[in-house]
Structure formats: C-alpha cells, structure tokens
Amino acid sequence: GMIDQFYADTIVAPATTPGTGAISIVRLSGPEVFAITDAVVQLKCGTISKAESYTIHYGSVYKDGSLLDEVLVSVFRAPRSYTGEDSVEISTHASTYIVNELVSLLLEAGARFAEPGEFTKRAFINGKMDLAQAEAVADVISSTTSASHRVAMNQLKGVFSEKLTALRSSLLEMASLLELELDFSEEDVEFADRERLLSLVDKTRTHADALAASFHQGNLIKNGVPVAIVGPSNAGKSTLLNALLGEERAIVSDIPGTTRDTIEETLNLDGILFRFIDTAGIRSGASDAVEKMGIDRTFRKISEAEVVLSLLDATISESDILNDLQEITSRINFSSQQLIILLNKCDSSDESRINKIVTIINNFVLSAGLKCDIIQISAKEKIGLSELKDWLCATERALIPNADSTFVTNVRHYEALKNASLALGNCTTSLSRGIPSDLVAEDLREALSSINAILGTDLLDPEAILQNIFKNHCVGK
C-alpha cells in the first residue's frame, strides 16, 4: 500500500544551515535509524539501539580512523516523534565540512538522502498532522514578519483545519440524509426537511466564501502589501525609497526555500511587510512612442498596488504639479487602491509657496471628489518620513484587521474553497427548484471532495498531490 513504501527506508538530511549558528543538526527517520546511527556514532557506553526514547547521548564520530567530531544524539521512538517513525537528531559543531562528512557516513551505513519536505510528508502520512497543517510548516519556516509568523503558527495549530472540519461534518450529515432518501426512493419518503438542508448549505457556503475572501488578506500578510511610488522622473522616487528602507532593508536569507522571488525592496513596519513595486518615471504629455509605452507599463504595474504613493516635486511650476496629479489620479482605482500624495522637496521652497501648492492640491482633490491625504516630506532630509510610515501602518491595520483570525494564505486552499462554494451554490439552486435528490447529492459530493482536498482526507490521487505540496519544503524539514 501507499504507507509501506515510506516505511521501507530510512532518510537523512541536515536540518540546519551550517554557518548560521553554533551547532548543526542532522536528522534521520525510518525503521533502521538506530542501527544506522550505531554504525556511525560510538557512545562511551551502550548503544543507541538500546537507548530509551527522549534521551540524549554523547558520542564520537570517526572517519578513516581519525576523529571527525564529538556529537550529541537525541532519540525519539515511534510513534512519539515528529514523523511518527523512529527518529534521531545528531547535533554536531556547525561546519559544512563536518555535516557533509557525517551525512555521507550515514548514507554509507544505509540511509537515503531525504527529498525536500519528506520528513513533514511522513508526518502527514503517519497521521501526525493534516495536510493544511503540514503546508503551514513551510510557511512558519519562511515567515519574515511577526504577522506572517502568527498566521502560519495558527494554521499549524490547526485553527484553519478545525473550521473546515466543522464544515465538512455538516456536509457529510446532509449527504448521508440524502443518500437515505435515495434508498427509499420507491416509497417516496422525504426524510430531510428541505428547509433545514437549504439553511445548512447556505451556512456552509457563507463560511467557505469568508475563508476564500480572507485569501486576499492572507496573501498580503504572507507576501507583503504591494506599494507603488509614482511620480515624474526627477521627483525623488529612489531617494524616498532609500530613505524609507534606510537601515530597515529586508533581510534575505540564503537558505533554499525561504527566499521570496522578488527583485523588489521590502520594508517591515510594525510586523507588516510592505513590498515596493519598481516603477519608471511618468511625465504628462510624453511625446515619443517609446516613452509612452514605458509610461503605460508603469501604470500597468501600478494597478497591482494596494497603496499608491504619488510623489510630487514642490520645486516645479504649479501647472506642472497639477498636470502630474491629474495624470496619476486618473489612473487609480479608488475602490480598491489607497492613494497618498507626497509633496517632496518641501525643504527647498519657502513656506508661503508650499502653502499655496497645498491649497491647489486640496482644491483639485475636493473638486474631483477624491479620497486621499497629503503629507509634506523631504526624502533627502528625511523630513515627514515617520508620518508616512505611521500612515502606511494605519492603512494596513484597516486592510488586515487581526492576524489572529483565520486566514487562507495558500493558493491551493483558495481554489478548493472556490470550488466548494460553486458546488454548494448549485446545491441551493437544485434544492430551491425541487430537483431530484440524486442530483443534489452529486453537488454535495463535489463540495465535500473540495474540502477533503484541503484537509488531505480521501485524496483522489494522493501521490501526485503530496509530491506537489511537499516539494516546496526545504530539505530536512
């Protein structure tokens, strides 16, 4: 069966990145783990095979007769381990050389090198966690902000799964009542009151929709809130970006499986990640075709942003400022995007001129009926930046109400929830039109299988789905 193939062999992989701490850990799991460890590690007395679970042993590893390292071996006997199998963790001194040599000794002794995510995959296969929790493991490892960490930990604790399991059991109940009705179709019994069924389908659908809707917010927490800085070519976009990032430049780790594929800059403010989209300068009334194309591309990029910072240059003529503002505001979708106007280079102009410009901008905003704030800044002198950061945080607090509620951050889950909702919608239609039970049951089964796909219960093609999910984990997890 599917389970046996996992049990057949013992896997090994480094569980830490050498060079990022004082110790490195090599992890093993599978039926031969104690024998394999004994072949490589010599204890002062006794063997790992005879050791109690949850004990730690001091030993030495030799290579070609000379000491490679002194190590500590932690013993976890099945089923009380991360994978549910017999497992061992060997702690060495942090050195790429030591870890590589140790792993190759363990391979020679009969272990196999683990695939990415295989430890977590075995944990799932052995019922230590459900699929949604297993996927959260990858998110916990790669979470870069406190908010994304909280969301991932929540999913790992199974908050998300609990909600789904509740949905699933009410669906199962409905399905079984319908099946019952089908069994008695000769006698024309209507066991289940259609009204109750309708309200249950409705409730389930509302819940699935709410979870699907949280995907947008979940994504913002996981990948960062996209922010575009737009403005004419020399308004000071780069200066502003550098001033904002300053010391807070995002840390990108060199651990495979944790880096985000973005060439964009990110900024972590108060536990929320902001991702700056790079845009080329705009100039109203661009004449040549190539420049027009560049500007169109910039505006296409801007449409991906949640927040648009419109940078205006306080030192240019008032009519040019107004033109730039018109150009930008005409391209923003105020129903889904937040705009803030930044009047830059305020330190290079006298106060009365700045006040005049602010009045002009305010009048334009009012007459156009737009919703946006104005902040006076100097990117070069770092004036007004803390005000801008506060504004960004406040805006996002509104978008991301509370990272402790349940968020969907996974595209696979999102798709499955959408499918479930669609099937439930069909149920409602069938029920309210008095369509025969067997067709209603069909829609219900469809909805159930979408929810099962998230939790990993009765997967249709288990191997394919699992391969796909766990290949995104880093090796050793």
Side-chain angles (χ1 to χ4, degrees), residues 32 35-40 102-112:
E32 297 299 312
I36 290 172
T37 307
D38 279 330
V40 174
L102 174 60
V103 168
S104 62
L105 288 170
L106 292 163
L107 292 172
E108 277 168 42
R112 161 174 78 69

Side-chain angles (χ1 to χ4, degrees), residues 276-332:
F276 290 94
I277 299 172
D278 191 31
T279 61
I282 56 158
R283 209 182 79 217
S284 44
S287 45
D288 79 59
V290 176
E291 194 178 2
K292 273 207 178 73
M293 274 165 58
I295 290 171
D296 283 344
R297 198 173 312 122
T298 288
F299 279 115
R300 264 205 308 285
K301 286 284 276 196
I302 292 171
S303 68
E304 300 164 13
E306 288 276 324
V307 174
V308 179
L309 308 180
S310 164
L311 197 58
L312 300 174
D313 181 344
T315 61
I316 62 176
S317 77
E318 289 153 26
S319 61
D320 281 347
I321 290 179
L322 212 50
N323 283 339
D324 289 334
L325 190 56
Q326 265 163 329
E327 177 81 55
I328 290 166
T329 49
S330 66
R331 309 257 198 151
I332 283 177

